Amino acid sequence: MNRRSLAGRLAVLAAVTATLGGCASDGGDDRSAPPVSDPPATASPRAPESGGAPARTPDGTLLVTDFGADTVTFVDPAGRGEAADLGSVRVGTAPYGIALGEDGTAWVATAQGVAAVDTRTRERTDLVPYRTDTGPVTTGEYRGGGMGIALSPDGSRVYVGVNVPGGKGTLEVVDTKRREVTRVVPVGRRPFDVDVSRDGRQVYATNHDSFDVTVVDTGEWTVRRIEVAPYGTEGGLGSWLKPHYTAVRPSDGALLLPFEGERLAVVDPGTGRVRIEDMTANTHQHGVTAGADGTLYVVGTGPIDPSEDDGPSLTVRTPDGDERVVPLEGPHETVTLSADGRTAYVSGGFTRDGYWNGLSVVDIGTGRVTRLPVGERPLAVAVLGGEEGTGGA
């Protein structure tokens, strides 16, 4: 395994950051973009060739957020070419994360608010505005508004991490029946991901630009900060060695955060203790999800330094720590599992430049990868009818 010194990494990262910007800091969003008008409350998906309303959306259909547009796209994972695209619904500017309720409602974090989508009728039924002032509505990697999003186990609340460009973010709590924000809690900078404990008593916001996870108690609404920085915090906003997404381990509720295909931070959310385990993919890592059996799936986006680092990949890590690395073509962002756990859907959207419009469909058993063109900068994926994976998607 490539054991690079921190000093050497920082020197390389400083040079790359100066030329690329990328996910290193929050200073590069397109603030010159004009304000974006609110989309209509409902939108028509693509009708079937025979005409009329769309048929019931079958279980196993994928719902993908189009970060490069204002839509979510319904996808038939067994389809090929244009046949895979089942139509899109306008939800709001630059949709990021998505959470799917048992009632068939998809909750989507956009730059404008939290959109509610009826996946049966394929229409947006609501757009809940944020209480947090995030500035003008814009697009791009550093835009303000919702990022990570998750549902409480009983489906009564949506938790969304809201990015405030240039400042600390918030966790907004949405009542799913009243469809309004009922509470705002301070968290760290750029909350990429939001996860919930199995018992619903804690919410975890993974804050990219402040090197930490905010633990929110959903009874007392108190917050605790846990620093998660296995490479240290030197470099601050200019560093690339920061947390992105988190998975909650099914067996004990530990938080799992991968870094650089070299280190896995295992966080006890109760004590705040962080233990580091070795990883092997040697690539910059973003999305992560955990299967029901505790197997971890981690997205490698590609090298920071092409002279030292390996390319894009999907790491499949058993609960014992054994790893299998499946090479991928081009950068990716998040990973979600099929209900039976046999297939991984890896989004090509990517939060930095270099994204592609499609998904990589990975057969977990054989490692075979099929590229499925769909969407416009697809970022997060939900599987209708139930997801096996938890966290990071």
Side-chain angles (χ1 to χ4, degrees):
M1 179 163 47
N2 183 9
R3 283 290 167 194
R4 291 156 280 181
S5 69
L6 179 58
R9 284 302 299 262
L10 289 173
V12 171
L13 300 182
V16 175
T17 300
T19 58
L20 294 181
C23 70
S25 72
D26 67 350
D29 64 319
D30 183 9
R31 307 304 293 174
S32 63
V36 183
S37 59
D38 184 32
T42 61
S44 298
R46 177 179 300 162
E49 291 183 4
S50 58
R56 177 184 178 276
T57 306
D59 288 349
T61 299
L62 310 181
L63 189 55
V64 180
T65 61
D66 293 316
F67 190 59
D70 61 357
T71 56
V72 293
T73 297
F74 289 81
V75 179
D76 177 2
R80 291 293 178 267
E82 292 186 359
D85 187 335
L86 301 179
S88 300
V89 176
R90 295 182 67 190
V91 291
T93 303
Y96 196 98
I98 187 170
L100 187 63
E102 292 185 359
D103 64 354
T105 301
W107 300 90
V108 185
T110 80
Q112 296 172 272
V114 178
V117 176
D118 187 325
T119 60
R120 295 161 298 186
T121 61
R122 302 187 206 171
E123 62 180 2
R124 195 193 77 181
T125 57
D126 221 328
L127 182 66
V128 181
Y130 303 119
R131 285 192 190 175
T132 304
D133 182 6
T134 62
V137 175
T138 62
T139 61
E141 179 183 352
Y142 304 102
R143 63 106 172 110
M147 299 188 73
I149 191 169
L151 271 165
S152 62
D154 64 3
S156 66
R157 296 169 177 165
V158 172
Y159 303 105
V160 57
V162 179
N163 178 43
V164 178
K168 291 185 177 180
T170 64
L171 182 79
E172 297 209 1
V173 183
V174 177
D175 185 300
T176 57
K177 289 185 178 179
R178 293 158 55 187
R179 298 200 171 184
E180 64 181 25
V181 175
T182 58
R183 190 175 297 272
V184 179
V185 181
V187 296
R189 298 175 67 109
R190 289 182 76 202
F192 258 58
D193 197 15
V194 173
D195 297 273
V196 183
S197 64
R198 293 257 167 157
D199 60 12
R201 295 179 180 178
Q202 293 182 329
V203 178
Y204 314 113
T206 303
N207 310 302
H208 179 269
D209 283 358
S210 48
F211 298 89
D212 57 23
V213 172
T214 302
V215 179
V216 180
D217 184 295
T218 60
E220 300 295 330
W221 298 107
T222 56
V223 299
R224 289 184 294 112
R225 176 184 183 268
I226 300 176
E227 183 176 286
V228 187
Y231 292 90
T233 61
E234 187 176 350
L237 292 177
S239 172
W240 288 62
L241 306 177
K242 294 181 286 194
H244 292 84
Y245 299 86
T246 298
V248 180
R249 187 159 61 188
S251 60
D252 60 1
L255 310 182
L256 307 176
L257 294 86
F259 289 79
E260 305 306 307
E262 293 183 334
R263 304 176 187 183
L264 179 69
V266 182
V267 181
D268 183 329
T271 65
R273 294 175 181 170
V274 181
R275 179 170 53 85
I276 304 300
E277 298 179 0
D278 291 339
M279 297 189 73
T280 62
N282 186 32
T283 184
H284 190 57
Q285 288 177 321
H286 278 204
V288 58
T289 195
D293 64 353
T295 299
L296 202 63
Y297 302 83
V298 186
V299 179
T301 69
I304 294 176
D305 181 358
S307 69
E308 292 191 11
D309 306 332
D310 293 334
S313 63
L314 178 68
T315 292
V316 182
R317 180 185 176 93
T318 69
D320 294 331
D322 293 333
E323 292 189 348
R324 177 165 55 100
V325 179
V326 180
L328 300 176
E329 181 182 347
H332 293 70
E333 184 66 21
T334 68
V335 55
T336 301
L337 297 181
S338 61
D340 61 10
R342 297 178 181 178
T343 306
Y345 304 107
V346 192
S347 67
F350 197 36
T351 56
R352 297 192 288 119
D353 289 340
Y355 64 86
W356 62 283
N357 295 330
L359 308 175
S360 284
V361 181
V362 182
D363 183 303
I364 300 302
T366 65
R368 182 174 180 267
V369 180
T370 303
R371 285 167 67 89
L372 183 62
V374 70
E376 188 168 344
R377 198 173 185 174
L379 205 64
V381 184
V383 181
L384 303 187
E387 295 176 74
E388 184 185 84
T390 60

